[in-house]
Amino acid sequence: MKLPFIIIVDDDEHVLRAIQRDIRNKYHKDYRVSATDSANEALELIKELKLKSETVALFISDQRMPEMEGIAFLEKAKEIFPEAKLVLLTAYSDIEVAIKAINEIKLNYYLLKPWNPPEEKLYPSVDDLLDEWQAQYKPDHEGIRIVGFQWSPKSHALKEFLSGNLIPYKWLDVESNSEAEQYLVSSNVNRDSLPLVVLKDGTYLSDPLLPDLAQRIGLQHTASQTMYDVLIIGGGPAGLAASVYGSCEGLKTILIEKSNPGGQASSSARIENYLGFPNGLSGAELTRRAMTQTLRFGTEILTPKTVKNIRLQDGYKITEMTDGSEVHSKTVIISTGIAYTKLEIPGLDKFTGAGVYYGSASIEAHACRGEIVYIIGGGNSACQAAMHISKFAKEVIIVIRRESIKKTAASYLIENINKTPNIKVLTSNEVVSVEGDNVLEKITLKNSLTSEETVLPAKALFIYIGAKPGTAWLNNIVLKDEKGFVITGSDLIKEKKFNTFWKLERKPFMTETSVPGIFASGDVRYSALTGISSAVGEGAMAIRFVRKYLEEI
Ligand SMILES: Cc1cc2nc3c(=O)[nH]c(=O)nc-3n(C[C@H](O)[C@H](O)[C@H](O)COP(=O)(O)OP(=O)(O)OC[C@H]3O[C@@H](n4cnc5c(N)ncnc54)[C@H](O)[C@@H]3O)c2cc1C
């Protein structure tokens, strides 16, 4: 455990030396003692300590100092470490000022100079103060801290990125958490430049871009090899499974993910149908386990990196990223899954991440405590999200166009929803407009039977209305169906032009695309079963075919 600090400030060299000596003699085993003759220097040190998640138990300051009076210094120090105890060193003539400070800045003690013998005049009081401080002290979070506005899209993106990459952080809402202000003061960052990310070493980034943040927290950014056996695009369940099996089987494996590993599954609050987990597990937990497993086997993961194209050169595959970098490999597995369908309502985009969310139930649910929350869509994901958010929200209202959710959601979910008193299903309704200044404030619902419109206050709107394949970037290098799903295996053979693009003696492997050595698995694959187990199975299967392909070349 890091030792707390005692900070002493006194411009008088002799007094400073004496108090520092006495305090060190008695407390050096349990506290780090730092002494300076400059109040400004002390304030800079205090800010640095806050950013580094250090803590201060006690400030001792002389009252009469040229840079600022002791009371002013203690008042500023208390803004950053409000729990620390405050001691003012005074001459007899300053007693009145000290007594006033007891009320004004909650001064804990004033110490008259000189304090000899310390055993009688110094230590008993300091012992009391430090005991009291120890009793109420709670260690600060030592990892990454994010300070921002709860409903800001930028804050939301940072939280989602870190949680998806399994990096723990502490969230501090600047409007409701008093500690947030301590970080703003310590970093000299104002509210216009939020979100603020404070790193473990005390350095900070104001309103960072994800690639910059990724670099600072040590996420791998460039490939270490010139050639890989298999390059996997997309880190959802299919991509993660492929990466585990690929690296486990000794293939040089690299995974490229545009945001955070875990894919759609990472936003699932509770997966109940995954083999071997009878009590269910969250998508975040499944991702954490898969990431640990694949990193253990030696997969390289590059994130955040977005693939924009695949080129072929002498049978090798060159994968191009939007940042201009390229990675070479013998095979590629496309596991880019599906992306949420946007709800087409004028002005809705403005609130994405600021009250409107696509599949972020597990991250944002806590922020919905005591609120009325709307969920659009009646499929399994929407129902799962409703169940999760209902633990925090006052009321969850599922809005669907149909007359019932019976045809769209699994029966066990419908049963759970019916048993949960604060979830309501509003049928034959749709959201037609949204309002708010910077964050979502109101929605308008239209009843399709009566055409009646109702404006309602809404703090959060979660949207689950289907998805389309993440292949817009894929141009025409592999064959896709009209919706964009990648066609593979026996479905390729059914294509009229099969013989024009397939020139090998053998037939395409089950997950192989129209280009030999490029595979697709998971939700992105045409005719895939969809779901986590299927995606995992297909990811593993793709590696089997990768091996077979590698034996051929
Ligand atoms: C809220 C929710 C709850 C769900 N609950 C369940 C459940 O309980 N049980 C169940 O079986 N299924 C569930 N599903 C469905 C399940 O999560 C998906 O079927 C599964 O995640 C599909 O996995 P995938 O790997 O094919 O694709 P995805 O999970 O979609 O992952 C694709 C990945 O590719 C990345 N990517 C996309 N394009 C690029 C690019 N150009 N460059 C780099 N990376 C890219 C994406 O960022 C993403 O991480 C749920 C889905 C949601 C949304």
Side-chain angles (χ1 to χ4, degrees):
M1 198 191 105
K2 289 198 233 171
L3 295 181
F5 275 83
I6 295 177
I7 291 182
I8 307 169
V9 194
D10 201 315
D11 66 307
D12 182 324
E13 217 182 290
H14 297 290
V15 181
L16 183 67
R17 221 177 296 138
I19 185 87
Q20 185 183 5
R21 179 201 58 218
D22 288 345
I23 291 286
R24 265 210 185 122
N25 281 348
K26 170 99 200 270
Y27 300 104
H28 72 278
K29 282 198 186 124
D30 300 318
Y31 296 88
R32 282 174 283 178
V33 180
S34 172
T36 166
D37 60 1
S38 156
N40 285 331
E41 203 178 288
L43 283 176
E44 286 313 306
L45 170 71
I46 294 165
K47 290 176 183 177
E48 199 184 312
L49 293 179
K50 179 71 196 170
L51 295 173
K52 286 184 172 165
S53 297
E54 300 280 3
T55 189
V56 180
L58 177 68
F59 290 105
I60 303 175
S61 170
D62 204 317
Q63 166 63 359
R64 292 194 183 197
M65 297 188 292
E67 285 176 351
M68 68 183 81
E69 288 191 335
I71 287 175
F73 165 76
L74 291 174
E75 200 172 9
K76 284 185 198 286
K78 200 177 166 68
E79 267 179 39
I80 299 173
F81 287 102
E83 315 300 340
K85 300 294 173 191
L86 311 178
V87 171
L88 192 68
L89 271 176
T90 51
Y92 189 75
S93 53
D94 283 330
I95 286 185
E96 227 173 279
V97 179
I99 293 173
K100 232 170 120 202
I102 293 175
N103 285 334
E104 282 173 3
I105 65 158
K106 303 277 177 279
L107 183 74
N108 297 101
Y109 187 66
Y110 63 87
L111 179 66
L112 278 179
K113 296 184 272 189
W115 52 87
N116 281 327
E119 287 73 16
E120 267 174 41
K121 296 191 177 157
L122 176 68
Y123 296 147
S125 319
V126 173
D127 279 350
D128 277 353
L129 291 176
L130 291 176
D131 284 351
E132 210 180 301
W133 179 84
Q134 285 286 0
Q136 49 77 56
Y137 161 66
K138 289 191 191 70
D140 220 356
H141 175 81
E142 288 188 7
I144 295 173
R145 289 135 286 165
I146 308 179
V147 182
F149 291 98
Q150 178 65 53
W151 304 104
S152 133
K154 287 177 179 173
S155 299
H156 175 73
L158 290 177
K159 286 189 273 176
E160 201 166 48
F161 178 71
L162 289 179
S163 63
N165 276 294
L166 310 180
I167 294 165
Y169 62 83
K170 180 177 175 184
W171 163 245
L172 299 138
D173 178 359
V174 79
E175 281 177 327
S176 64
N177 189 322
S178 57
E179 202 189 345
E181 197 58 40
Q182 297 159 22
Y183 284 107
L184 298 193
V185 173
S186 303
S187 59
N188 295 325
V189 164
N190 62 38
R191 288 181 172 222
D192 295 339
S193 310
L194 292 178
L196 166 74
V197 180
V198 183
L199 305 174
K200 205 172 173 179
D201 63 0
T203 56
Y204 58 87
L205 299 157
S206 146
D207 192 7
L209 295 173
L210 289 187
D212 295 338
L213 177 61
Q215 207 171 2
R216 289 287 289 275
I217 59 180
L219 293 179
Q220 190 179 346
H221 198 60
T222 47
S224 72
Q225 311 275 328
T226 45
M227 176 67 69
Y228 290 84
D229 293 320
V230 57
L231 178 145
I232 301 156
I233 309 172
L240 284 170
S243 73
V244 168
Y245 283 85
S247 49
C248 167
E249 294 193 16
L251 301 177
K252 276 188 196 162
T253 308
I254 187 162
L255 173 70
I256 297 177
E257 167 55 53
K258 73 171 174 186
S259 52
N260 39 268
Q264 297 164 66
S266 63
S267 59
S268 172
R270 185 142 293 269
I271 302 158
E272 308 224 30
N273 59 352
Y274 194 62
L275 186 74
F277 293 89
N279 298 323
L281 86 167
S282 69
E285 178 59 12
L286 181 67
T287 306
R288 192 188 64 75
R289 286 166 180 261
M291 284 279 284
T292 312
Q293 206 171 3
T294 199
L295 290 169
R296 202 186 106 217
F297 286 130
T299 306
E300 287 183 32
I301 299 181
L302 303 189
T303 176
K305 284 243 185 222
T306 304
V307 172
K308 67 164 190 190
N309 193 27
I310 305 171
R311 253 180 21 243
L312 299 175
Q313 195 177 306
D314 305 327
Y316 294 111
K317 282 84 192 165
I318 301 168
T319 302
E320 301 171 8
M321 262 52 83
T322 49
D323 64 4
S325 57
E326 295 183 346
V327 184
H328 296 211
S329 62
K330 295 174 188 164
T331 64
V332 167
I333 300 176
I334 300 165
S335 52
T336 46
I338 50 176
Y340 296 101
T341 308
K342 298 268 175 209
L343 184 64
E344 298 299 338
I345 294 179
L348 189 83
D349 277 356
K350 174 176 142 191
F351 302 119
T352 306
V356 172
Y357 304 99
Y358 290 88
S360 306
S362 54
I363 295 169
E364 297 301 336
H366 292 261
C368 300
R369 199 174 290 279
E371 306 285 351
I372 299 177
V373 171
Y374 290 84
I375 291 183
I376 306 188
N380 289 342
S381 334
C383 293
Q384 271 189 358
M387 288 300 299
H388 183 60
I389 298 170
S390 69
K391 292 181 207 152
F392 307 93
K394 188 165 138 196
E395 193 174 16
V396 179
I397 300 164
I398 300 177
V399 182
I400 54 164
R401 283 191 189 151
R402 292 172 181 246
E403 287 171 10
S404 150
I405 51 168
K406 281 196 183 128
K407 281 195 183 149
T408 47
S411 52
Y412 77 93
L413 282 169
I414 299 176
E415 222 172 89
N416 287 345
I417 280 177
N418 290 339
K419 278 194 259 170
T420 311
N422 64 336
I423 303 183
K424 214 162 89 185
V425 181
L426 192 62
T427 58
S428 309
N429 263 280
E430 63 180 315
V431 177
V432 289
S433 67
V434 287
E435 287 170 62
D437 277 337
N438 297 316
V439 297
L440 179 74
E441 288 166 18
K442 287 178 197 160
I443 60 170
T444 304
L445 289 175
K446 183 173 179 185
N447 185 311
S448 58
L449 304 176
T450 62
S451 293
E452 191 189 337
E453 293 197 359
T454 322
V455 180
L456 296 160
K459 191 86 181 180
L461 184 68
F462 290 84
I463 301 168
Y464 297 87
I465 53 165
K468 48 180 180 252
T471 55
W473 59 275
L474 197 48
N475 300 325
N476 295 320
I477 186 160
V478 298
L479 210 63
K480 299 184 275 183
D481 78 344
E482 69 285 355
K483 287 187 185 149
F485 288 98
V486 179
I487 304 176
T488 57
S490 56
D491 288 315
L492 286 172
I493 302 169
K494 292 178 202 155
E495 291 290 318
K496 276 191 204 135
K497 291 185 188 161
F498 177 69
N499 290 325
T500 62
F501 61 77
W502 192 261
K503 300 293 175 195
L504 298 184
E505 288 291 307
R506 65 163 174 85
K507 289 178 183 156
F509 297 125
M510 189 193 146
T511 57
E512 199 167 24
T513 67
S514 53
V515 177
I518 299 185
F519 301 83
S521 54
D523 283 8
V524 75
R525 197 175 70 82
Y526 173 77
S527 83
L529 281 176
T530 76
I532 295 166
S533 307
S534 315
V536 167
E538 291 202 1
M541 210 186 326
I543 291 297
R544 279 270 164 265
F545 298 128
V546 161
R547 288 199 77 92
K548 287 192 172 198
Y549 173 84
L550 290 175
E551 283 163 15
E552 288 173 356
I553 58 169

